[in-house]
């Protein structure tokens, strides 16, 4: 009886410690897990299991380990928020696996994804044929985001005898105040051109931009950072 009571107390304390850790990690960890979140869950789960099943592991040592781990995660989140260059190290990057209807085998190999796995991911999105896809992006959480070809949109234009417009992939030019020079080159634009476009929107400094996105069909989309 005493042993069962001890396990119950340890589980209760562990639960509250994990809830506190979840608050520190933020809402992102409650959605689709990234590789970093997956590692965090494994480590924290090991801490809690040690507290329950290992009589030599004191519960307060485990609480300290969980809270210290949470502090490390919080610090890493701050670093990735403040230092843009660090994101490529701590976070996985999205990969364009289908570009203008063409599957990029090199990108698939780089991300260790074979065709069967890619087809499974697409079927999960309700897409059963590659002919329907214009662009597909492998996200850090392992899922695929897709832009369909115009004629295969849910309201199919070919059924209404409408003309089929061209599609281009949206390219992020500014992210969290940082100009992405490689993306500028990809759309054949220059930094002076971008700064001129910002001035047309009464913006003098790119640091005031949360996101700036270019698409051939409708040009530049800009969203400023909130003043708060």
């Amino acid at each position: 009886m005493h042993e069962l009571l001890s396990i119950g107390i340890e589980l209760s304390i562990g639960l509250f410690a994990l809830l506190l850790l979840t608050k520190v990690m933020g809402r992102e960890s409650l959605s689709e897990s990234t590789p970093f979140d997956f590692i965090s869950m494994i480590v924290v789960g090991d801490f809690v299991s040690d507290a329950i099943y290992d009589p030599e592991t004191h519960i307060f040592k485990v609480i300290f380990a969980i809270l210290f781990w949470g502090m490390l995660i919080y610090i890493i989140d701050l670093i990735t928020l403040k230092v843009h260059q660090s994101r490529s190290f701590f976070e996985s990057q999205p990969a364009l696996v289908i570009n203008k209807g063409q599957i990029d085998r090199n990108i698939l190999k780089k991300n260790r994804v074979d065709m069967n796995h890619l087809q499974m991911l697409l079927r999960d999105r309700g897409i059963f044929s590659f002919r329907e896809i214009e662009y597909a992006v492998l996200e850090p959480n392992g899922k695929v985001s897709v832009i369909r070809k115009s004629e295969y949109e849910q309201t199919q234009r070919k059924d209404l005898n409408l003309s089929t417009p061209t599609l281009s992939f949206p390219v992020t030019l500014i992210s969290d105040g940082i100009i992405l020079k490689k993306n500028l080159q990809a759309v054949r634009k220059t930094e002076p051109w971008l700064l001129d476009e910002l001035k047309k929107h009464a913006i003098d400094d790119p640091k005031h931009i949360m996101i700036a996105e270019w698409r051939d069909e409708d040009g530049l989309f800009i969203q400023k950072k909130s003043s708060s």
Side-chain angles (χ1 to χ4, degrees):
M1 185 65 180
H2 179 269
E3 184 179 354
L4 293 177
L5 181 61
S6 176
I7 291 175
I9 293 173
E10 290 174 348
L11 280 173
S12 299
I13 295 175
L15 173 62
F16 285 106
L18 289 174
L19 286 174
L20 180 59
L21 177 61
T22 303
K23 290 288 186 181
V24 172
M25 292 175 68
R27 294 184 180 182
E28 182 183 21
S29 298
L30 300 177
S31 58
E32 299 295 341
S33 296
T34 64
F36 185 74
D37 297 327
F38 183 69
I39 294 171
S40 299
M41 288 186 287
I42 291 176
V43 172
V44 171
D46 190 54
F47 289 155
V48 176
S49 65
D50 284 346
I52 297 172
Y53 299 111
D54 188 351
E56 296 182 1
T57 303
H58 200 279
I59 184 63
F60 293 106
K61 290 183 179 180
V62 176
I63 292 175
F64 171 78
I66 291 175
L67 296 180
F68 186 76
W69 182 259
M71 183 180 68
L72 289 178
I73 294 173
Y74 182 73
I75 291 172
I76 290 173
D77 286 342
L78 285 180
I79 292 173
T80 56
L81 183 64
K82 299 294 184 181
V83 184
H84 186 271
Q85 292 81 356
S86 68
R87 296 177 187 177
S88 60
F89 178 79
F90 289 109
E91 302 174 358
S92 300
Q93 299 298 309
L96 186 63
V97 293
I98 299 180
N99 186 6
K100 295 183 179 179
Q102 299 297 313
I103 301 169
D104 193 324
R105 291 186 61 192
N106 292 328
I107 297 296
L108 288 177
K109 290 180 179 179
K110 184 178 179 180
N111 288 273
R112 306 293 192 273
V113 176
D114 58 33
M115 289 299 297
N116 290 338
H117 190 194
L118 179 59
Q119 287 175 304
M120 180 195 71
L121 293 173
L122 293 172
R123 286 194 297 269
D124 190 52
R125 296 297 310 275
I127 299 173
F128 292 82
S129 174
F130 287 106
R131 75 187 67 189
E132 300 180 21
I133 305 168
E134 188 74 10
Y135 299 99
V137 176
L138 181 65
E139 302 291 357
N141 60 19
K143 292 186 176 292
V144 170
S145 300
V146 174
I147 296 179
R148 295 174 184 259
K149 293 180 179 178
S150 298
E151 62 267 29
Y152 291 104
E153 293 176 354
Q154 289 186 347
T155 303
Q156 295 187 0
R157 306 180 68 90
K158 63 178 183 178
D159 293 338
L160 303 176
N161 294 320
L162 298 175
S163 59
T164 302
T166 58
L167 283 175
S168 64
F169 191 75
V171 178
T172 301
L173 302 184
I174 300 177
S175 175
D176 201 11
I178 304 297
I179 296 177
L180 306 180
K181 296 182 179 180
K182 288 185 177 180
N183 290 0
L184 270 174
Q185 295 173 359
V187 296
R188 299 178 181 177
K189 302 294 183 182
T190 63
E191 191 168 334
W193 170 86
L194 180 58
L195 295 176
D196 287 340
E197 290 295 314
L198 294 181
K199 289 180 181 178
K200 293 178 183 178
H201 292 81
I203 301 170
D204 295 325
D205 194 336
K207 293 181 180 179
H208 299 151
I209 303 298
M210 175 63 70
I211 190 75
E213 179 184 273
W214 173 264
R215 196 167 65 172
D216 290 340
E217 295 93 304
D218 41 23
L220 193 64
F221 168 79
I222 298 174
Q223 182 175 331
K224 295 181 181 180
K225 293 182 179 179
S226 59
S227 56
S228 59

